[in-house]
Every structure is written in structure tokens, then in C-alpha cells.
């Protein structure tokens, strides 16, 4: 079975991390007319009529250069320009979530480049001052490092580990086996998804799964099995997918983030997804892959 979320990480680029501090190599690659550049205003990108626009290096505006790497013998870059550019045309410049429909098409390898670029842009936007002394942070290493102008402490991009889980109850594969889905109070009627939450300091990923499910729904989880992962720079998460086996089935909603949670059999899920009363996560998300892996195949409808 092909999982839909893998399309966003397929055919990744060579990040060339060892060249990020080689100024001569960087200048030589920037001078190559074959190089391609994604322009980011703050943390937003302006797509064109046929998808994302990659400029040549000679067409790129002045700004902070980010080396993304090499793919298909082409060097790929991003340039960050001030956020005022996007604010002047708010309807044309989109955040990463608005770009996802452009990244699910027939241009393999583009999504990892865009995730890399916007993830760095989000980091630069949110890390302007040193957390140790409050001094100004200056970029180096082709945008992959910040160093304090006052105390010299370096800062590096980080991804926050978040667990996302499909919890099932009953005999595996049996007709009455059920999976647990929840919904946020801000979502449209009928939209449900797998549960998720951030891993806390000193906590294993498996224990994070058990804690989050218990806190959000009151359901105790025993066995936890790793499924896969997906980079999700919205703004800086790494989604770590798991399947869990419930030890209890009574639902108690005590977390304000979860408005409703329900158990669904495969037949209930198929029927409700087909008639639109159940709206499942989008195909590019690992949440969708977790649901369809448990269900055993593709399902109709999505966000």
C-alpha cells in the first residue's frame, strides 16, 4: 500500500551541509545561471498560475540567501526578503499550509525543498535575539546557523517532536474493531482526525502517545507501535506516527482542545466518509496514512 504522506518527502535533495561555510563554493554556485531560487517574504511564498515560481539567481532579489542543496545537478536556494513585501499583497502570498495543494502534484522533489526553505524562514523569523543575553543574532553557514553578536553563542534550527496516533480497540482486523478519532472545537462539523500532541522533556515517544491520548480522551493505551514520520514545518514540527492499542474504551473529555471523540468501525468509517458526514484528514498528511493503514485501503473524501 502506498501511503499518501510519503509524496511530500519523496526524492529529497542533497543538502550539501559541508559546503555551507565554503564561501568560494557558495559564490561559484550562485553565479551558475542554472541555479534556482524560491523567494520567501517573511514566511510566505507567492505561487504563480502553474505552481511555485523558482527564479534564476540573476532574477532573485537581494535578501538572506539560504542554501537548500543540489538535486538533478542543479543548485537550489531560497532568498528571504522582508515580510512587508507579502503584507502589501496578502491575497497572493501564502503560508505553507496554503501551498500544500501545489506540492501534491506531479513535480517530485519540490516539497522537500519547500519544506526546507520555509522551515528555515520560520526559524529566522522567530529567532531574532539571543536567548542567553538578548543580543542580536547574525546568520552564517548559508542560513543554517545564527550566532549572537554579543556573547557569541550559536543557535541552530530545531524541529519539535510531536506524536500523532491511531488508537484501536477490539480484536485486530475483526469486524467490530474500532479506531479512535477526535475533533477540535474550531473545525467544521463532521471533521475528525487522529489525536496528536507534543513530546515533553524527559519523555519517551511511546509515553507521549499514552499521555496525550489519556489527557485528551480518558482512554488508556498499552502497546504502542511506530508507523512512520513526516516533517511538518507549521512552523517547526516533526510528526512521529504511531499505532496504539487501547486498554480501556470509555471516553472522558477533559481537555479543552478536544470537543468530541468517537470510536469508528471500518464499516462506519467507510459509510460516513462516503456520504460526507465524516470528513477525514487530507491525503498529504501522515494522519490520513495512519487512518488508511488501519482501514486497509483508500477512503473517499478528505479535508
Amino acid at each position: 500500500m502506498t501511503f499518501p504522506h510519503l509524496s511530500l518527502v519523496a526524492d529529497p535533495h542533497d543538502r550539501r551541509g559541508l559546503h555551507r561555510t565554503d564561501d568560494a563554493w557558495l559564490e561559484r554556485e550562485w553565479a551558475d545561471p542554472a541555479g534556482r531560487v524560491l523567494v520567501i517574504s517573511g514566511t510566505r511564498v507567492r505561487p504563480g498560475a502553474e505552481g511555485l515560481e523558482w527564479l534564476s539567481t540573476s532574477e532573485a532579489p537581494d535578501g538572506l540567501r539560504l542554501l537548500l542543496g543540489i538535486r538533478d545537478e542543479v543548485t537550489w536556494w531560497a532568498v528571504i526578503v522582508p515580510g512587508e513585501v507579502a503584507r502589501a499583497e496578502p491575497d497572493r502570498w501564502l503560508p505553507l499550509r496554503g501551498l500544500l495543494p501545489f506540492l501534491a502534484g506531479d513535480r517530485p522533489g519540490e516539497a522537500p525543498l519547500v519544506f526546507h526553505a520555509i522551515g528555515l524562514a520560520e526559524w529566522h523569523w522567530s529567532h531574532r535575539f539571543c536567548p542567553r543575553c538578548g543580543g542580536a543574532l547574525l546568520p552564517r553557514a548559508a542560513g543554517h546557523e545564527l550566532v549572537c553578536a554579543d556573547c557569541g553563542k550559536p543557535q541552530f534550527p530545531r524541529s519539535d517532536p510531536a506524536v500523532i496516533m491511531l488508537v484501536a480497540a477490539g480484536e485486530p482486523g475483526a469486524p467490530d474493531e474500532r479506531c479512535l478519532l477526535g475533533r477540535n472545537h474550531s473545525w467544521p462539523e463532521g471533521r475528525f482526525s487522529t489525536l496528536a500532541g507534543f513530546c515533553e522533556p524527559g519523555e519517551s515517544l511511546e509515553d507521549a502517545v499514552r499521555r496525550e491520548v489519556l489527557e485528551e480522551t480518558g482512554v488508556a493505551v498499552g502497546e504502542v507501535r511506530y508507523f512512520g514520520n513526516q516533517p511538518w514545518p507549521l512552523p517547526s514540527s516533526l510528526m512521529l506516527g504511531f499505532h496504539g492499542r487501547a486498554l480501556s474504551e470509555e471516553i472522558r473529555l477533559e481537555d479543552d482542545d478536544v470537543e468530541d471523540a468517537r470510536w469508528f468501525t471500518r464499516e462506519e468509517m467507510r459509510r460516513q466518509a462516503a456520504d460526507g458526514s465524516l470528513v477525514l484528514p487530507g491525503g498529504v498528511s501522515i494522519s490520513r496514512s495512519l487512518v488508511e493503514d488501519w482501514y486497509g485501503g483508500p477512503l473517499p473524501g478528505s479535508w
Side-chain angles (χ1 to χ4, degrees):
M1 178 177 174
T2 301
F3 297 114
H5 78 280
L6 295 177
S7 64
L8 294 184
V9 294
D11 200 10
H13 51 288
D14 177 355
R15 297 187 175 222
R16 291 298 171 100
L18 296 180
H19 286 94
R20 292 170 185 166
T21 57
D22 186 340
D23 292 338
W25 185 89
L26 292 169
E27 288 303 318
R28 186 167 61 250
E29 292 301 308
W30 183 261
D32 185 349
R36 286 295 174 262
V37 183
L38 183 70
V39 179
I40 304 175
S41 174
T43 61
R44 292 175 174 250
V45 172
R46 183 178 63 184
E50 298 181 2
L52 302 188
E53 295 182 336
W54 294 85
L55 307 179
S56 67
T57 53
S58 62
E59 297 172 315
D62 291 335
L64 175 61
R65 294 182 194 173
L66 310 176
L67 171 67
L68 303 179
I70 293 181
R71 182 178 178 277
D72 297 334
E73 301 182 356
V74 172
T75 304
W76 300 78
W77 308 80
V79 167
I80 303 177
V81 299
E84 289 77 11
V85 176
R87 286 194 285 273
E89 299 179 295
D91 295 335
R92 298 188 63 189
W93 292 79
L94 303 178
L96 179 55
R97 192 175 294 276
L99 299 175
L100 292 178
F102 296 95
L103 300 179
D106 57 356
R107 296 164 71 171
E110 186 174 42
L113 289 163
V114 175
F115 276 23
H116 187 178
I118 295 185
L120 283 176
E122 291 275 5
W123 178 62
H124 280 276
W125 179 81
S126 61
H127 289 70
R128 305 181 191 184
F129 302 99
C130 176
R132 171 185 282 176
C133 73
L137 292 174
L138 305 177
R140 64 185 185 186
H144 290 75
E145 183 178 345
L146 294 169
V147 63
C148 179
D150 293 338
C151 73
K153 181 175 175 59
Q155 302 290 326
F156 300 93
R158 292 174 174 84
S159 294
D160 300 319
V163 292
I164 184 166
M165 42 278 180
L166 192 292
V167 175
E171 187 67 25
D176 61 347
E177 185 188 19
R178 300 163 299 288
C179 80
L180 180 64
L181 301 179
R183 57 173 277 106
N184 187 281
H185 60 82
S186 65
W187 293 350
E189 188 65 28
R191 179 179 290 185
F192 280 79
S193 183
T194 50
L195 304 176
F198 287 101
C199 184
E200 295 188 349
E203 185 176 48
S204 71
L205 297 172
E206 292 82 1
D207 284 340
V209 169
R210 297 182 181 103
R211 175 184 53 78
E212 285 288 345
V213 175
L214 187 65
E215 289 177 355
E216 293 185 346
T217 66
V219 172
V221 174
E223 177 190 0
V224 174
R225 177 172 51 87
Y226 177 71
F227 170 76
N229 67 84
Q230 179 180 39
W232 199 246
L234 294 164
S236 59
S237 299
L238 176 64
M239 306 303 297
L240 299 148
F242 293 88
H243 284 289
R245 183 60 53 178
L247 297 175
S248 64
E249 298 184 38
E250 181 185 358
I251 295 173
R252 301 189 311 276
L253 300 179
E254 299 178 351
D255 190 320
D256 292 339
D257 289 340
V258 180
E259 179 191 68
D260 192 9
R262 302 179 192 173
W263 293 101
F264 294 87
T265 65
R266 290 179 176 82
E267 174 55 28
E268 290 169 339
M269 181 176 287
R270 183 204 61 76
R271 184 178 68 253
Q272 294 178 37
D275 67 22
S277 59
L278 172 63
V279 184
L280 296 168
V284 296
S285 72
I286 193 171
S287 181
R288 179 75 175 206
S289 295
L290 281 164
V291 170
E292 292 191 343
D293 182 52
W294 174 81
Y295 177 76
L299 282 157
S302 72
W303 298 4

